[in-house]
């Protein structure tokens, strides 16, 4: 049985990933902050929960031991290198050859060829700076976290999510290498399907060393792209 560690299991995205992983028959180890453990009560008896901060290296070392796959929610909380600390711990302690899949937003770029709308630029440059000054969120640390992932020689994928909405699954999202590509114009994905893409990526070797930007498969831009092929 494949064993997957889900770092950030108690968040909205994490809970969906836990369910998708269980549906695929994986043995699941979930990592979440101690005060959030109760959010995983619905999975009692079906998963192993390791409480602790996800940037705590000892917590991550224990959680990823023996895991074939690791799913990581990169959360830019606070101003204490939470995201980069989490990423570095996973990179350092995951088993050699383990499949690693990290989540982030469209604002992350791998090669600088992404083209961003003014809304995304405002979010990152103005709202992001204000959030950092308030010591709530540090988007720059998320950039640093993914920089470390991109530079590593592990079997990584960084999934870049569009805006998210709740709702029933519409199916596996579609993806492109660069934000600004026409297929991504709708900029919307169901959160349950973001989680689905993360879990599916674990078995898709074509996504190794890729940073796919995703969008819902039933959005107007995705449907228009499919019709044009």
């Amino acid at each position: 049985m494949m064993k997957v560690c889900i770092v950030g299991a108690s968040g909205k995205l994490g809970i969906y990933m836990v369910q998708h992983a269980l549906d695929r028959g994986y043995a699941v180890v979930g990592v979440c902050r101690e005060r959030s453990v109760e959010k995983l009560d619905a999975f009692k008896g079906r998963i192993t929960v390791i409480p602790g901060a996800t940037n705590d290296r000892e917590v991550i070392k224990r959680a990823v031991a023996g895991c074939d796959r690791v799913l990581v929610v990169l959360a830019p909380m606070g101003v204490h290198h939470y995201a980069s600390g989490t990423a570095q711990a996973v990179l350092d302690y995951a088993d050699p050859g383990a499949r690693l899949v990290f989540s982030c937003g469209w604002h992350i770029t791998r090669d600088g060829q992404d083209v961003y709308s003014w809304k995304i630029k405002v979010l990152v440059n103005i709202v992001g700076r204000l959030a950092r000054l308030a010591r709530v969120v540090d988007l720059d640390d998320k950039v640093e976290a993914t920089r470390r992932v991109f530079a590593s020689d592990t079997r990584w994928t960084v999934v870049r999510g569009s805006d998210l909405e709740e709702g029933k699954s519409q199916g596996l999202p579609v993806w492109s290498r660069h934000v600004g590509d026409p297929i991504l114009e709708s900029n919307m994905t169901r959160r349950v399907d973001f989680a689905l893409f993360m879990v599916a990526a674990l078995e898709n070797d074509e996504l190794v060393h890729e940073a796919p930007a995703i969008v819902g498969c039933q959005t107007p831009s995705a449907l228009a792209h499919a019709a044009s092929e």
Side-chain angles (χ1 to χ4, degrees):
M1 178 184 291
M2 291 293 182
K3 186 177 181 183
V4 58
C5 176
I6 300 178
V7 180
S10 64
K12 292 179 180 179
L13 180 63
I15 288 173
Y16 283 130
M17 289 196 294
V18 170
Q19 187 60 63
H20 286 312
L22 290 173
D23 289 345
R24 290 178 178 238
Y26 293 139
V28 175
V29 177
V31 182
C32 69
R33 290 175 296 173
E34 193 162 357
R35 64 176 178 268
S36 300
V37 169
E38 63 182 19
K39 295 179 181 179
L40 297 171
D41 282 352
F43 303 109
K44 270 187 178 179
R46 293 192 289 162
I47 70 173
T48 300
V49 178
I50 297 182
T54 66
N55 64 339
D56 185 320
R57 292 176 62 81
E58 290 304 313
V59 168
I60 294 299
K61 184 178 182 179
R62 177 185 170 200
V64 301
C67 290
D68 311 281
R69 317 270 191 268
V70 184
L71 295 164
V72 186
V73 178
L74 289 176
M77 297 183 300
V79 290
H80 301 290
H81 310 295
Y82 201 87
S84 60
T86 298
Q88 191 63 59
V90 171
L91 294 172
D92 289 343
Y93 292 124
D95 288 359
R99 188 72 172 87
L100 312 179
V101 180
F102 299 82
S103 75
C104 67
W106 273 6
H107 66 286
I108 296 297
T109 184
R110 182 186 178 192
D111 58 14
Q113 296 184 35
D114 299 277
V115 178
Y116 295 111
S117 69
W118 67 268
K119 289 182 179 180
I120 294 178
K121 290 178 180 178
V122 167
L123 177 66
V124 173
N125 295 326
I126 298 179
V127 178
R129 289 177 184 175
L130 291 174
R132 191 177 192 282
L133 287 172
R135 307 181 70 82
V136 176
V137 167
D138 186 357
L139 294 181
D140 288 342
D141 187 50
K142 211 169 191 181
V143 173
E144 173 61 19
T146 52
R147 185 198 65 78
R148 297 184 188 190
V149 174
F150 295 150
S152 77
D153 59 2
T154 61
R155 299 180 66 241
W156 57 264
T157 298
V158 174
V159 182
R160 300 183 292 155
S162 67
D163 287 350
L164 300 177
E165 65 178 358
E166 296 296 339
K168 293 182 179 179
S169 174
Q170 295 180 326
L172 190 69
V174 295
W175 68 278
S176 188
R177 284 192 172 92
H178 296 111
V179 176
D181 290 346
I183 191 173
L184 302 173
E185 185 177 355
S186 295
N187 186 21
M188 188 60 65
T189 309
R190 297 279 170 91
R191 185 175 276 104
V192 65
D193 294 331
F194 186 2
L196 179 63
F197 193 97
M198 293 280 292
V199 175
L202 293 172
E203 302 294 340
N204 186 350
D205 286 345
E206 293 182 0
L207 291 175
V208 173
H209 297 167
E210 291 278 8
I214 66 172
V215 74
C217 65
Q218 296 300 313
T219 58
S221 61
L223 293 174
H225 179 80
S228 67
E229 290 187 328

